[in-house]
Amino acid sequence: MTGHNPTSANRRDASGSARTALVTGGSRGIGRAISVELASMGLSVAVNYNSNHEAAEETVAACLDAGAAHAVAIQGNIGEPDACSALVDAAFEGLGEIDILVNNAGRAPRVREDILKATRESFEEVLAVNLTGPYFLTQELARRWLESDNPRSRSVVFISSLSAETASLNRGEYCVSKAGLAMATKLWAVRLAEAGIPVVEIRPGITETDMTAGVKEKYDALIAEGLVPQKRWGQPVDIARLVGSVARGDFAYSTGAVVDCDGGFHISRL
Ligand code: NAP
């Protein structure tokens, strides 16, 4: 668990009720660390997951240990067309409000294939989860926020990837999905600006989670050779701290910001 001293401003909205967050893909990896970070600031958290109920319940327990007033696990496949409104309904039902949306859930292609061979099926599956889902989930919540006359401090975070900029020929569909999320951030940032809702893109680098477990040795070697200037794997908590910063209001006048969290990977070198 990460340590920030929760302040009353973090914990409560102007109306006095506890602040709340919906974290997609909160059951494991980066999403779990984000959920626990927000919980440690006193927020109540809705932990979305797709199939791993046990992991989601572990995250809920960790959130309660960390200081959340309330935490709930909500199943929902973000890649399915009807999932967005059901997920938002369930989060409102569980927490009463959603102040911070963290679009974190994502998947890699089932098979890494060169773009000359990769299938349309894989492209559509990855795009549905990584781009279409977060785009329409944000739309669903944005509509409700804009219709609401309850003045609260709200924000949206998109967890994209270094793949928004870096071309990997053996997972083109993943790169395209993350490049699309970068534009989604700009679009929603402009759309929600007048309502005073900052939208921020956080771009993780090579981060140690289940998603990268199968390529651990390969990346260990590349990191040792200097691929990442800071010469270490990213940890989920590195990203979680940045989301905590958004939730604290540090990005109040920085809507549309892109924050790299990659140990310097994105810096062109000669
Ligand atoms: P992970 O360890 O594989 O965890 C993925 C999480 O997303 C799980 O909680 C999983 O739920 C959930 N999820 C997957 N598909 C879903 C769906 N269709 N609907 C709802 N939830 C779904 O991944 P991670 O490494 O933490 O990645 C989190 C985010 O960071 C992703 O968007 C990923 O692209 C991005 N990212 C990761 C890295 C990296 O190196 N790890 C680098 C850059 C960006 P279940 O537990 O139910 O399966």
Side-chain angles (χ1 to χ4, degrees), residues 234-249:
Q235 295 300 323
V237 70
D238 293 317
I239 296 120
R241 286 194 183 114
L242 295 174
V243 177
S245 182
V246 177
R248 266 193 306 279

Side-chain angles (χ1 to χ4, degrees), residues 25-31 48-52 55 76-79 104-107 129-130 159-162 174 178 204-207 209-212:
S27 46
R28 293 183 288 120
I30 293 168
N48 159 248
Y49 67 102
N50 180 29
S51 55
N52 197 331
N77 179 348
I78 197 76
N104 164 77
R107 59 163 305 132
V129 175
N130 291 7
I159 304 296
S160 67
S161 168
L162 58 76
Y174 184 81
K178 295 300 186 177
I206 302 166
T207 308
T209 67
D210 293 345
M211 186 181 275
T212 47

Side-chain angles (χ1 to χ4, degrees), residues 36 43 58 121 128 142 183 189 203 238:
V36 175
L43 275 77
E58 282 170 18
E121 189 185 18
M183 178 49 77
R203 259 181 210 179
D238 293 317

